Amino acid sequence: MKKTLTLLVASTALTAAIGVPAWSAMQSPPDVLRSVAALFDDAPQAMPLVLASDDDDNDDDRWRDGSRRGHDDDDDDDDDDDDDCRGGARNPAPAGTVAPPQNGLFGNGAPPQVQVN
Amino acid sequence: MKSLLATLALTTALTLPGLAMARPVTLTTTLNNYGGDGAYLALYVTDTSGAYVGSLWMAGGKSKYYEHLSDWYRATGGDTAQVNGITGASVGAGRTLEITLDLADALFDAGYTLHIDAAVEDMRDSPNEVAVPLTTDGAGTPVSGRRYIASFAYDM
């Protein structure tokens, strides 16, 4: 009987020791959690901010590295379906697949016709 | 019988102005031999106050490059819905892009301006490469661009 009681007390104490901090953390406002997490996140994020050079400053008028198409050929087609999205941005529907936008510029007549010579 | 005639008259009256209020217009853009990849071009219209009205054509299908068409991008926020159904491939150096669109008559002689922004990979962006007032008198008159466009003209 004494042994059972001891086991029950021990398991209750253990549960309380683990559970109470976890429960109170769940009850805390999200901002508090975020600010605590930020203390740990700041250090790894700070490292990439140290720049050895200022080369990036002169690239405003060029397509950035992240924007490059990944191939060096001179063709002008865009029919390939690689890496079509960045940051969830969708590519527009090609001409002929949907009607032109209702922006007041277009009539309701013939669909757009395009030719490259 | 009478109601049928009235309906027919009404539908005709509603349809005819619609047919008369638009016309096919051909936009012809010839690029220089600038020695780079295919150019992205945004053709769009502003009103008398310079406010963006809408897009006419987008040459270049990948929206991730649209930020380089900087004036168009600033006006639209890069909204691809603006160019849904009016987007084609980018245009190679030295090539001629010919687009025929059914455009509203109200666009002409009303103070609207057609703009073209251009951008080429690893080369300078060229916003407002062409800005041409839309007038019936100006039809067929070629204008030069600043960097990549050798000539642009609209015909109707």
Side-chain angles (χ1 to χ4, degrees):
Chain A
M1 182 66 183
K2 223 176 189 179
K3 200 175 175 182
T4 310
L5 201 65
T6 309
L7 277 174
L8 275 173
V9 169
S11 63
T12 306
L14 196 63
T15 306
I18 295 169
V20 168
W23 182 81
S24 59
M26 285 169 64
Q27 297 301 313
S28 301
D31 287 347
V32 174
L33 276 179
R34 256 185 239 126
S35 61
V36 172
L39 289 173
F40 298 99
D41 291 344
D42 275 353
Q45 280 176 1
M47 291 177 68
L49 293 177
V50 179
L51 296 175
S53 72
D54 60 351
D55 284 346
D56 290 341
D57 294 344
N58 298 325
D59 291 341
D60 290 343
D61 54 352
R62 290 170 176 270
W63 290 21
R64 294 178 197 145
D65 288 346
S67 303
R68 292 186 181 181
R69 286 190 239 177
H71 58 84
D72 296 318
D73 54 358
D74 289 326
D75 61 356
D76 59 343
D77 64 304
D78 285 285
D79 297 328
D80 53 324
D81 291 320
D82 59 337
D83 63 359
D84 279 340
C85 297
R86 185 181 68 176
R90 302 179 83 182
N91 293 332
T97 59
V98 298
Q102 299 284 327
N103 54 16
L105 305 182
F106 298 98
N108 298 319
Q113 293 177 341
V114 62
Q115 190 179 339
V116 177
N117 302 316
Chain B
M1 185 64 184
K2 234 178 187 178
S3 62
L4 180 66
L5 275 175
T7 308
L8 278 173
L10 185 65
T11 53
T12 307
L14 288 172
T15 309
L16 277 179
L19 291 173
M21 281 163 58
R23 70 179 89 175
V25 178
T26 300
L27 312 174
T28 306
T29 312
T30 301
L31 299 190
N32 291 316
N33 284 307
Y34 51 81
D37 281 353
Y40 270 50
L41 306 172
L43 287 77
Y44 58 99
V45 173
T46 58
D47 63 15
T48 45
S49 66
Y52 172 82
V53 177
S55 297
L56 293 178
W57 191 258
M58 175 65 78
K62 293 185 178 175
S63 63
K64 62 185 176 183
Y65 303 125
Y66 290 172
E67 63 186 287
H68 297 280
L69 302 164
S70 44
D71 281 1
W72 178 88
Y73 193 87
R74 196 178 305 117
T76 63
D79 180 16
T80 56
Q82 297 287 326
V83 289
N84 270 339
I86 48 170
T87 296
S90 57
V91 185
R95 302 272 187 96
T96 297
L97 170 71
E98 202 173 282
I99 316 153
T100 302
L101 303 169
D102 191 48
L103 294 185
D105 280 347
L107 266 181
F108 296 90
D109 302 314
Y112 291 103
T113 303
L114 188 152
H115 302 260
I116 306 180
D117 285 10
V120 177
E121 183 178 9
D122 286 334
M123 298 179 83
R124 291 180 72 90
D125 297 344
S126 186
N128 211 25
E129 168 97 16
V130 166
V132 56
L134 288 172
T135 61
T136 46
D137 287 347
T141 306
V143 294
S144 300
R146 293 187 299 130
R147 187 176 297 273
Y148 301 113
I149 296 176
S151 72
F152 169 80
Y154 58 93
D155 292 281
M156 46 194 185

